[in-house]
Amino acid sequence: MIKLIKIDEESRIPKYKQIVDSILQNIANGNLKINQKIPSINSFSEEFYMSRDTVEKAYNILKERKIISSIRGKGYYITRTKLESKVNVLFVLNKLSAYKMKTYNSFINTIGANAHTDLHIYHCDETLFLNLLDKFEGAYDYYVITTHFKTDDLKHLSFTDEVAKAIQKIPEEKLVLMDNIKIGMEGEIIKIYQDFENDIYNALKEGLAKITKYEKLILVYPDKAVYPYPRRILHGFRKFCVEHEINFEILSEVYDDMILKKGDLFITIEESDLVNLMKQIRDEKFTLGKDIGVISYNDTPLKELLGITVMSTDFNVMGETVARMILNKEKGQVKVPFNFIDRNSI
């Protein structure tokens, strides 16, 4: 097999990428068969006078894409020869949640068999994110990326200098910025985004007639969270309340012994706060949607089932739009619809 591998010492393409491309090309040409053994990392390294780390990086990429696998004590083998995927996509999310997965599933359903997609979660952790991009540099046709990070004191951060540098290494034609695009990157890239400040402001304006029935509007915004939310949500909320002269308060959580009063209208963001609030409303015999109102941020099937009024990005549209633009090789930016969905809780 060593004779089949072509490495161009004069090329500017990284050596690990040349290894990956050469092995894939030999599979496509029929030179490498299923279950065929390939050289060890050490053998490959010695034959081509390159570092062991370079070969290992190439092999790890092929393992992630399930092209090869390793058997302890025996070596590496070809495990997949059907390379029917036309596009390989790295899909990077900051967290697993019902609405994030709605976006991902919508993307998968729209792009269908036209792509092979690998999903990775970095849990709002900068180091994990940077390691992901470094590990998979040059390995995919598209990089679909969300940028939500947490500081040491668990506050939201859209990006850091290191994050910006890492993303700028991705060729423009391969980059898709999704959800949060506050990173200052221009050029011929795909941007599918929420406008956190204006989204909540406009949604509240849409529900103004019902909101003004209540005496006080209370936003429960987690000031510190493992998965923090953009502070632009706060800015849009304050702007709405000030412009419409609405009495408001901002809390960091729903406390177990919350003081509830008739005429309160709550906006919750975290699922746990919504559950806690609903329990207390029920226990204190308040009538939901009459004595106390509830609006929740980001829709889920459970909220729909329970009849909870929501303000929410259309996460299905987000995933569909990303897939469509990749398939059609479109560029540009698209603002995702953000809707006020009136149900029985206000």
Side-chain angles (χ1 to χ4, degrees), residues 200 203-221 237 240-241 246-251 254 258-269 273-274 277-278 281 286-297 307-311 340-346:
I200 188 171
L204 290 172
K205 278 185 67 176
E206 190 176 340
L208 182 62
K210 285 197 170 183
I211 290 171
T212 52
K213 294 191 307 181
Y214 292 88
E215 295 178 14
K216 190 171 189 178
L217 185 56
I218 303 160
L219 172 64
V220 185
Y221 173 89
F237 173 77
F240 168 79
C241 293
I246 291 173
N247 184 24
F248 73 94
E249 184 176 2
I250 297 172
L251 304 177
V254 171
M258 179 79 74
I259 299 172
L260 300 178
K261 295 183 179 181
K262 286 187 178 182
D264 286 345
L265 172 57
F266 288 86
I267 300 173
T268 63
I269 297 178
D273 285 322
L274 174 62
L277 178 62
M278 294 290 287
I281 291 172
F286 286 112
T287 301
L288 182 66
K290 183 179 179 182
D291 300 329
I292 291 180
V294 174
I295 301 172
S296 188
Y297 194 87
I308 303 297
T309 297
V310 296
M311 299 179 292
F340 180 86
I341 304 175
D342 188 4
R343 295 181 180 136
N344 301 323
S345 64
I346 62 169

Side-chain angles (χ1 to χ4, degrees), residues 141-276:
D141 300 306
Y142 285 93
Y143 295 77
V144 180
I145 294 170
T146 60
T147 58
H148 294 282
F149 299 93
K150 57 189 173 189
T151 62
D152 291 339
D153 58 352
L154 299 181
K155 294 184 183 295
H156 183 270
L157 195 63
S158 291
F159 66 97
T160 66
D161 290 342
E162 291 302 312
V163 166
K165 288 176 185 176
I167 292 177
Q168 286 164 2
K169 289 181 181 179
I170 301 172
E172 286 186 0
E173 67 274 11
K174 294 185 174 186
L175 180 59
V176 180
L177 291 178
M178 186 179 70
D179 190 34
N180 179 25
I181 63 169
K182 193 178 179 183
I183 195 169
M185 290 194 64
E186 302 300 331
E188 292 298 310
I189 64 177
I190 298 173
K191 294 180 180 180
I192 312 296
Y193 68 99
Q194 298 187 64
D195 182 351
F196 294 96
E197 179 173 341
N198 289 315
D199 280 346
I200 188 171
Y201 172 81
N202 290 326
L204 290 172
K205 278 185 67 176
E206 190 176 340
L208 182 62
K210 285 197 170 183
I211 290 171
T212 52
K213 294 191 307 181
Y214 292 88
E215 295 178 14
K216 190 171 189 178
L217 185 56
I218 303 160
L219 172 64
V220 185
Y221 173 89
D223 191 46
K224 295 181 179 181
V226 176
Y227 301 113
Y229 295 87
R231 296 189 68 81
R232 282 164 282 162
I233 294 172
L234 287 177
H235 304 329
F237 173 77
R238 286 197 184 98
K239 178 182 176 182
F240 168 79
C241 293
V242 171
E243 284 191 7
H244 295 89
E245 299 182 340
I246 291 173
N247 184 24
F248 73 94
E249 184 176 2
I250 297 172
L251 304 177
S252 60
E253 62 180 294
V254 171
Y255 303 98
D256 291 335
D257 52 355
M258 179 79 74
I259 299 172
L260 300 178
K261 295 183 179 181
K262 286 187 178 182
D264 286 345
L265 172 57
F266 288 86
I267 300 173
T268 63
I269 297 178
E270 289 276 3
E271 298 284 302
S272 57
D273 285 322
L274 174 62
V275 171
N276 194 356

